[in-house]
Amino acid sequence: MLRRYELTDEEWLRIEPLLPPENTGKQGRPRKDNRIIMNGIVWLARSGAPWRDLPERYGSWKTVYSRFRKWIDDGILDNIFRILSLEAELEELSIDASIIQAHQHSAGAKKRGPSNEIGHSRGGASTKIHAAVDAYGYPVYLMISEGQRNDINYAIPLLDQIEINGSNVLADRGYDSNKLLDYVYARSGEPTIPSRKGAKFERHCDWWLYKERHLVEKYFLKLKAFRRIATRYDKLAATYLGFICIASILIWLK
């Protein structure tokens, strides 16, 4: 019986070949079924519950967490997302960022090591998700940063990962930057970015096309339907980005 949040047969068939084989050839206790593990991860992403509250039907939370971290570290989840996003319609690309409040449980990670992308400002601890979506609102590339970072600083790193030749790049006034405009033109793209208010010279903007930028806002709304993402509970940037990747994979599968 299919329970709430679990993958349908059709969804599972699309990603099953992209996961590592369950039979490793080693002796000992058999490995937990990949589908059960994936459903457990999806349940956590949807519900926002702590790892220790994972229902027993998915097995030990430690097993699910270990498999999740291994899939992150081995690039398995990134690869699934990359393969699904090959279907993206790149005639239009919308970029934007959305801020996420970090829960107090996200504090306490080791100081040394890679940045955990939790910023601190008057609004409290936060993380920012930067995203590019295609002409139908499906995610193409994602990044996270500390919450107080300026959106424009991540526009070029986002677009660096996408073939924008022939694409209309849509963004709001906050992305009005000569450096970004020159970058898009140099790669045969067409920017649809309004000039900042009060700009000395106001560029032409196709306002009808610009309305399509709402697709990136709708993507963030879908993303925040996953409670584990709407509030950041994870101490590590890698695990939080892993849950964002899981959510984005599910958006592609719908």
Side-chain angles (χ1 to χ4, degrees):
M1 181 181 69
L2 190 67
R3 292 185 171 91
R4 191 179 185 192
Y5 303 146
E6 295 186 349
L7 298 174
T8 65
D9 290 340
E10 293 77 9
E11 291 169 346
W12 174 244
L13 287 173
R14 290 187 67 187
I15 65 171
E16 181 184 16
L18 305 176
L19 291 167
E22 294 160 12
N23 183 10
T24 60
K26 295 180 181 179
Q27 295 182 350
R29 184 181 299 177
R31 284 167 60 88
K32 200 76 174 177
D33 182 271
N34 277 339
R35 186 170 184 176
I36 295 175
I37 295 291
M38 181 62 80
N39 281 333
I41 296 169
V42 172
W43 186 91
L44 286 164
R46 284 286 195 181
S47 68
W51 282 98
R52 294 175 187 273
D53 290 348
L54 184 71
E56 291 182 3
R57 64 178 176 269
Y58 300 118
S60 165
W61 72 267
K62 293 182 180 179
T63 300
V64 178
Y65 177 76
S66 296
R67 193 84 61 90
F68 179 55
R69 284 304 308 271
K70 182 167 179 57
W71 287 349
I72 291 171
D73 295 341
D74 292 350
I76 302 297
L77 297 181
D78 281 343
N79 186 56
I80 294 173
F81 174 65
R82 181 188 63 81
I83 289 174
L84 292 175
S85 65
L86 290 176
E87 300 175 14
E89 175 51 71
L90 301 181
E91 182 180 350
E92 293 173 15
L93 282 169
S94 299
I95 61 174
D96 207 348
S98 185
I99 200 160
I100 304 293
Q101 292 300 313
H103 194 273
Q104 61 185 9
H105 290 165
S106 66
K110 292 181 180 179
K111 300 293 183 183
R112 298 177 182 177
S115 169
N116 288 308
E117 306 298 357
I118 298 178
H120 299 274
S121 62
R122 291 181 181 179
S126 61
T127 293
K128 188 173 281 188
I129 303 173
H130 306 265
V133 305
D134 74 355
Y136 296 106
Y138 289 102
V140 182
Y141 197 76
L142 309 157
M143 300 177 71
I144 62 173
S145 72
E146 295 177 348
Q148 74 273 19
R149 300 301 179 191
N150 198 318
D151 300 355
I152 188 64
N153 295 332
Y154 292 83
I156 291 178
L158 268 178
L159 296 176
D160 262 342
Q161 308 300 320
I162 308 168
E163 177 55 63
I164 65 171
N165 185 359
S167 299
N168 287 294
V169 179
L170 285 60
D172 62 26
R173 297 179 193 274
Y175 290 88
D176 180 17
S177 157
N178 289 335
K179 184 176 180 181
L180 176 58
L181 296 171
D182 291 344
Y183 174 92
V184 174
Y185 283 128
R187 284 155 183 78
S188 302
E190 182 66 32
T192 303
I193 304 173
S195 300
R196 290 178 181 270
K197 290 184 177 180
K200 196 169 183 180
F201 301 101
E202 188 165 343
R203 293 187 318 280
H204 168 74
C205 179
D206 185 338
W207 292 104
W208 285 104
L209 180 60
Y210 178 74
K211 290 179 180 180
E212 295 300 312
R213 199 191 65 81
H214 77 282
L215 291 169
V216 69
E217 304 290 354
K218 290 180 72 173
Y219 164 69
F220 285 127
L221 285 175
K222 292 177 184 177
L223 206 57
K224 290 178 183 180
F226 294 79
R227 294 180 184 176
R228 189 99 190 185
I229 297 169
T231 302
R232 177 173 172 175
Y233 298 100
D234 296 274
K235 291 181 172 64
L236 302 179
T239 53
Y240 184 62
L241 193 54
F243 277 116
I244 296 173
C245 192
I246 287 286
S248 298
I249 288 169
L250 291 175
I251 289 171
W252 266 108
L253 293 176
K254 296 300 182 184

